[in-house]
């Protein structure tokens, strides 16, 4: 008998050779129906893999990320099967599961594969799936594997890099593929399929190699899930920040200025300024001091910091001056500058912590293929800050930073997030700089801070930077997509490299600990995420134009101007649409610009000293006095 430990800690005994599916069946038939994959001692296996020693077992369903992975990986087999049925000469290469769905890279040879071909593949995949064939994984010798794939140079290359004895094939129905495993029990579970895209991709990601066609697909256990997913994609398209940014007049790019260098238009600049003011106010309360540093720095600065070694060759190249040999770099990071700011004075332990904040613009040369709207750019402004403290202050400082990040998230409507703590690899401590004692202090400080703040945390060992552990925040947006936002990072390296010090209570010089943090990440990326999260319907306090006045004819323009002045006197900013257009058209226009308050004024309103109020989205608030309107807006603005 062997002992099987389940995730709830319970231990069950089975005959050696029991499979994950057997375990599921022994618990309940309902569970067995839902189990599609399993982890045995942390390794993903087939549900039919015999277990012969004591083990921990986790049964996976569609609701587990790894369950989905097995589902999509198996669906890639169905995709490959359908492709070779229609294109017998196509050469298969690799086909993994990805975050949403799967792809297969295929060499179609002389034939083309385009959108018009998607439907027949989808149909065939479902036809084949309905046969409900089992996925069978079995070992193959290297010689046999090579024989099987003679004529397919891609699979041949893959097999040649595998060890004889560790090669497996997977068969279902009439189709076989080279595969390491991790499948669902049978094809019948796949009930809905969509081919999403076909794009060029180089074999092994190398431009020198042949270009293949990467066929992207997604599949689900229910048709309803696919419908929901496609609706989500549709909604995501509507919310694409590049599209919204253009419609709302937030930002633009110019080839003349340069790729990846965003130009903020007045409305976008206004929003950004509001975000900066909001954070600045919160930081002031938390004891931060604003600093300002230049956009360039002497090359030596970045040699000292180590950034030259990291960014030097692959980023913007040094700026030369008329002085022979003198070189400056566009700054890739603000930290080195802030270290020098700290150094401007000798501090005592009583002066610490020092908290320097700056909206600091940095420049990094991203590959042009990587550039994407505001989320991947070559020049961006971090809402950066560096905190310098004694090791004893670290826990308190860390908690304060978490508070600030949580305040930012809740103020901006990101309620759903998870955090990841990245710690040292305990088996490989040599790769990290700094003493054991400091690392333990820092790691304990992060864990304790996260726990005291009640964060939902995943701990990842070996994910820390070589210079210190960190805490990352991943938010889920309105469409359930995950975005990495703020990071809080402990750093022992830079204070040493810059020989920073403070005088301790013992009258000796000590090295401070440094915390890097940026709740937004960067202004560019944050605005992009905010646009996609809110679909451009920002909380009122962030909206560049709170209202638009719509006089129903020229006669009421004067009254409109009066209303506008009245609101602006209370610091409520907006627009007036005096065009000679029908009111219906003006409303549609204001709806597209997502302006929260539409204020309609005509004869009745001018006579009564009132305004008819319509909210973005169509809600009719009826007629109210100017004073009532003002009070209402002020109250809504005050929420933050
Ligand atoms: Zn497979
Ligand atoms: Zn930094």
């Amino acid at each position: 008998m062997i002992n099987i430990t389940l995730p709830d800690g319970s231990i069950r005994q089975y005959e050696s050779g029991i499979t994950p599916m057997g375990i599921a069946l022994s618990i309940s038939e309902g569970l067995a129906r839902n189990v599609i994959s399993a982890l045995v001692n942390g390794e993903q296996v087939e549900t039919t893999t015999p277990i012969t020693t004591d083990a921990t077992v986790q049964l996976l369903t569609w609701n587990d990320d790894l369950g989905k992975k097995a589902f999509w990986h198996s669906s890639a087999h169905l995709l490959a099967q359908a492709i070779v049925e229609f294109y017998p000469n196509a050469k298969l290469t690799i086909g993994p599961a990805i975050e949403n769905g799967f792809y297969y890279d295929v060499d179609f040879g002389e034939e083309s594969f385009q959108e018009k071909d998607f439907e027949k593949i989808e149909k065939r995949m479902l036809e084949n799936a309905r046969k409900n064939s089992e996925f069978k994984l079995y070992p193959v010798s290297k010689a046999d594997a090579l024989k099987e794939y003679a004529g397919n140079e891609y699979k041949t290359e893959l097999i040649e890099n595998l060890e004889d004895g560790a090669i497996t094939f997977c068969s279902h129905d009439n189709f076989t593929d080279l595969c390491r495993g991790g499948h669902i029990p049978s094809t019948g579970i796949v009930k809905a399929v969509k081919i999403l895209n076909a794009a060029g991709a180089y074999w092994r990601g190398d431009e020198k190699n042949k270009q293949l066609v990467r066929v992207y697909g997604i599949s689900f256990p229910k048709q309803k899930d696919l419908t929901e997913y496609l609706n989500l994609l549709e909604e995501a398209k509507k919310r694409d920040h590049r599209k919204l940014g253009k419609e709302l007049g937030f930002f633009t790019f110019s080839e003349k200025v340069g790729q990846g260098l965003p130009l903020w238009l007045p409305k976008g600049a206004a929003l950004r300024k509001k975000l900066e003011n909001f954070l600045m106010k919160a930081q002031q309360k938390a004891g931060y001091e604003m600093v300002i540093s230049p956009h360039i720095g002497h090359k030596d600065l970045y040699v000292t910091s180590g950034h030259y070694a990291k960014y030097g060759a692959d980023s913007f190249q040094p700026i030369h001056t008329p002085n022979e040999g003198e070189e400056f770099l566009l700054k890739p990071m603000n930290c080195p500058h802030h270290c020098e700011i700290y150094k401007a004075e000798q501090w005592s332990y009583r002066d610490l912590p020092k908290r320097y904040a700056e909206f600091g613009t940095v420049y990094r040369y991203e590959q042009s293929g990587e550039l994407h709207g505001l989320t991947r750019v070559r020049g961006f402004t971090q809402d950066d800050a560096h905190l310098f403290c004694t090791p004893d202050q670290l826990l308190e400082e860390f908690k304060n930073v978490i508070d600030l990040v949580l305040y930012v998230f809740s103020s901006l409507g990101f309620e759903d997030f998870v955090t990841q703590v990245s710690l040292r690899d305990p088996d490989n401590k040599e790769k990290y700089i700094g003493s054991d004692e400091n690392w333990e202090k820092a790691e304990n400080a992060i864990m304790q801070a996260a726990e005291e703040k009640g964060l939902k945390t995943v701990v990842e060992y070996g994910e820390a930077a070589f210079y210190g552990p960190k805490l990352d925040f991943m938010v889920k947006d309105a469409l359930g997509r995950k975005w990495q936002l703020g990071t809080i990072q402990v750093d022992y390296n830079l204070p040493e490299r810059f020989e920073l010090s403070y005088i301790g209570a013992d009258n000796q010089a000590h090295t401070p600990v440094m915390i890097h943090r940026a709740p937004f990440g960067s202004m560019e990326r944050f605005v992009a995420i905010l646009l996609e999260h809110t679909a451009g319907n920002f909380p009122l306090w962030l909206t560049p134009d709170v209202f638009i006045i719509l006089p129903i004819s020229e006669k009421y323009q004067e009254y409109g101007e009066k209303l506008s002045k009245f609101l602006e006197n209370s610091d409520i900013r907006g627009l007036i649409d005096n065009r000679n257009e029908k009111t219906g058209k003006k409303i549609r226009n204001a709806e597209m610009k997502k302006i929260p308050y539409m204020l309609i004024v005509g004869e009745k309103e001018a006579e009564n000293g009132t305004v008819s109020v319509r909210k973005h989205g169509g809600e009719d608030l009826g007629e109210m006095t100017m004073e009532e309107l003002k009070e209402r807006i002020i109250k809504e603005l005050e929420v933050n």
Side-chain angles (χ1 to χ4, degrees):
M1 298 296 271
I2 55 169
N3 291 319
I4 298 297
T5 311
L6 295 169
D8 64 0
S10 65
I11 297 173
R12 287 170 170 251
Q13 289 200 321
Y14 294 96
E15 297 279 352
S16 173
I18 183 83
T19 64
M21 192 50 87
I23 295 172
L25 273 167
S26 80
I27 297 170
S28 85
E29 260 181 55
L31 176 65
R33 265 198 301 279
N34 286 317
V35 166
I36 57 174
S37 182
L39 287 177
V40 173
N41 294 330
E43 199 184 320
Q44 194 159 12
V45 297
E46 315 286 305
T47 54
T48 51
T49 304
I51 308 168
T52 53
T53 57
D54 288 357
T56 61
V57 172
Q58 190 186 346
L59 302 169
L60 302 168
T61 70
W62 169 257
N63 293 324
D64 298 296
D65 284 350
L66 285 172
K68 286 191 181 72
K69 188 179 162 204
F71 193 91
W72 286 330
H73 168 89
S74 307
S75 302
H77 283 269
L78 284 166
L79 170 62
Q81 177 190 20
I83 286 174
V84 292
E85 285 177 8
F86 282 106
Y87 306 90
N89 297 324
K91 289 177 188 169
L92 299 173
T93 70
I94 54 161
I98 52 178
E99 201 186 339
N100 287 301
F102 52 89
Y103 68 76
Y104 217 114
D105 282 351
V106 183
D107 180 353
F108 281 93
E110 297 301 305
E111 296 190 76
S112 74
F113 184 75
Q114 290 160 353
E115 203 165 336
K116 64 175 170 47
D117 306 309
F118 292 1
E119 203 184 316
K120 69 179 180 205
I121 296 291
E122 290 162 6
K123 270 199 181 140
R124 180 62 63 88
M125 282 174 74
L126 285 177
E127 276 164 31
N128 287 335
R130 263 181 239 122
K131 295 182 203 164
N132 201 19
S133 328
E134 273 176 52
F135 285 99
K136 288 186 194 135
L137 193 71
Y138 56 93
V140 188
S141 73
K142 195 165 189 165
D144 284 349
L146 286 171
K147 210 189 294 165
E148 179 70 30
Y149 282 108
N152 180 330
E153 59 271 34
Y154 310 101
K155 293 281 190 193
T156 300
E157 189 181 318
L158 293 172
I159 294 164
E160 268 163 1
N161 287 318
L162 293 172
E163 222 168 283
D164 202 359
I167 301 171
T168 47
F169 278 4
C170 175
S171 288
H172 78 273
D173 194 8
N174 56 11
F175 178 78
T176 300
D177 204 350
L178 171 70
C179 183
R180 240 174 300 168
H183 305 97
I184 56 178
S186 62
T187 60
I189 309 164
V190 179
K191 293 277 201 314
V193 168
K194 185 84 189 163
I195 304 301
L196 297 167
N197 192 16
Y202 295 101
W203 169 238
R204 300 264 194 206
D206 187 340
E207 306 182 18
K208 286 185 223 97
N209 289 337
K210 181 153 186 198
Q211 196 174 32
L212 310 166
V213 179
R214 179 164 295 176
V215 184
Y216 287 95
I218 195 159
S219 57
F220 293 93
K222 286 185 192 132
Q223 181 61 37
K224 179 176 126 285
D225 296 336
L226 174 61
T227 310
E228 268 170 29
Y229 180 76
L230 294 178
N231 288 341
L232 202 75
L233 278 190
E234 221 19 69
E235 186 57 34
K237 244 191 233 164
K238 279 190 223 149
R239 288 169 180 243
D240 188 320
H241 76 275
R242 294 167 300 175
K243 177 175 168 283
L244 281 177
K246 200 170 177 182
E247 285 169 8
L248 299 175
F250 274 19
F251 62 90
T252 188
F253 288 92
S254 143
E255 286 292 325
K256 269 215 169 94
V257 172
Q259 268 193 312
L261 298 170
L263 298 168
W264 291 80
L265 303 175
K267 299 245 182 278
L271 171 84
R272 174 169 156 172
K273 200 78 218 157
K274 282 178 193 227
L275 280 170
E276 290 183 359
N277 289 343
F278 156 75
L279 188 58
M280 219 143 71
K281 224 162 99 187
Q283 285 178 167
Q284 235 155 33
K285 268 193 215 155
Y288 288 70
E289 299 168 285
M290 294 300 293
V291 295
I292 296 172
S293 61
H295 288 239
I296 63 172
H298 201 283
K299 181 182 157 187
D300 290 349
L301 177 71
Y302 305 108
V303 171
T304 301
S305 69
H307 292 122
Y308 185 73
K310 185 160 179 235
Y311 293 104
D314 298 326
S315 198
F316 289 106
Q317 291 308 290
I319 301 161
H320 297 271
T321 72
N323 280 345
E324 178 80 26
E326 192 177 46
E327 287 181 336
F328 287 85
L329 290 184
L330 282 169
K331 75 173 161 188
M333 299 279 249
N334 300 302
C335 346
H337 295 251
H338 291 187
C339 285
E340 288 299 304
I341 287 175
Y342 175 90
K343 249 181 142 170
E345 269 185 67
Q346 175 64 63
W347 304 107
S348 117
Y349 69 98
R350 282 187 229 97
D351 303 317
L352 301 188
K354 299 304 294 178
R355 309 178 186 94
Y356 297 134
E358 175 177 16
F359 292 98
T361 305
V362 296
Y363 301 89
R364 295 176 202 167
Y365 190 81
E366 301 286 350
Q367 295 302 314
S368 57
E370 305 271 301
L371 297 173
H372 181 87
L374 286 185
T375 54
R376 273 307 260 288
V377 285
R378 286 176 175 167
F380 55 96
T381 302
Q382 295 179 310
D383 55 322
D384 215 354
H386 296 96
L387 291 75
F388 301 89
C389 65
T390 71
D392 292 333
Q393 291 168 332
L394 188 59
L395 173 62
E396 206 48 39
E397 280 312 293
F398 215 90
K399 284 199 291 194
N400 292 340
V401 178
I402 292 177
D403 279 340
L404 185 72
V405 173
L406 296 185
Y407 170 68
V408 168
F409 286 2
S410 72
S411 302
L412 292 160
F414 291 105
E415 308 294 346
D416 196 355
F417 61 88
V418 290
T419 54
Q420 179 181 314
V421 180
S422 300
L423 304 179
R424 263 191 313 184
D425 177 355
D427 300 326
N428 195 0
K429 289 185 180 171
E430 313 77 64
K431 18 182 245 207
Y432 306 92
I433 73 140
S435 69
D436 259 352
E437 191 199 336
N438 279 341
W439 267 90
E440 266 162 38
K441 234 181 202 161
E443 293 189 340
N444 289 337
I446 295 185
M447 304 276 275
Q448 198 182 330
E451 199 190 308
E452 282 183 33
K453 294 294 166 193
L455 301 179
K456 276 188 277 174
T457 321
V458 190
V459 178
E460 293 287 349
Y461 291 92
E463 289 288 305
F466 73 93
Y467 53 82
K470 63 176 178 168
L471 181 70
D472 290 316
F473 290 79
M474 257 85 66
V475 298
K476 251 192 196 169
D477 72 7
L479 300 188
R481 296 170 301 175
K482 277 184 226 149
W483 300 86
Q484 150 121 42
L485 279 183
T487 295
I488 316 175
Q489 179 132 31
V490 179
D491 187 350
Y492 291 105
N493 179 41
L494 281 187
E496 267 176 35
R497 281 175 169 264
F498 279 90
E499 298 173 344
L500 305 184
S501 70
Y502 66 91
I503 303 300
D506 56 2
N507 241 346
Q508 302 290 310
H510 297 269
T511 307
V513 190
M514 186 174 177
I515 301 175
H516 309 251
R517 49 104 280 189
F520 293 154
S522 79
M523 301 312 293
E524 285 73 10
R525 202 174 131 77
F526 192 75
V527 167
I529 295 169
L530 201 59
L531 270 167
E532 302 211 357
H533 178 53
T534 62
N537 300 307
F538 300 109
L540 202 63
W541 64 276
L542 269 181
T543 311
D545 298 308
V546 168
F547 64 83
I548 184 161
I549 297 167
L550 312 175
I552 60 171
S553 80
E554 220 176 301
K555 268 208 294 205
Y556 308 107
Q557 286 183 6
E558 206 187 309
Y559 180 66
E561 302 286 354
K562 193 175 139 195
L563 174 60
S564 170
K565 286 231 169 62
F566 172 79
L567 293 171
E568 281 185 8
N569 278 339
S570 296
D571 231 5
I572 302 167
R573 313 258 155 232
L575 306 167
I576 181 159
D577 187 349
N578 278 336
R579 289 174 308 160
N580 193 12
E581 293 282 0
K582 291 234 162 59
T583 308
K585 187 170 178 189
K586 289 184 181 181
I587 289 177
R588 278 196 300 281
N589 203 282
E591 281 287 344
M592 208 187 80
K593 299 269 177 207
K594 299 180 189 273
I595 299 171
Y597 282 93
M598 283 163 250
L599 311 177
I600 300 147
V601 291
E603 190 176 355
K604 183 179 60 170
E605 288 82 5
E607 242 167 51
N608 299 345
T610 56
V611 47
S612 288
V613 184
R614 187 193 149 102
K615 286 205 84 176
H616 170 66
E619 193 192 348
D620 187 359
L621 299 181
E623 197 179 338
M624 58 179 84
T625 66
M626 287 192 191
E627 194 64 34
E628 280 166 345
L629 173 67
K630 186 186 89 180
E631 292 305 318
R632 186 192 166 98
I633 293 178
I634 286 179
K635 214 163 146 205
E636 202 178 328
L637 284 169
E638 266 169 8
V639 176
N640 275 286

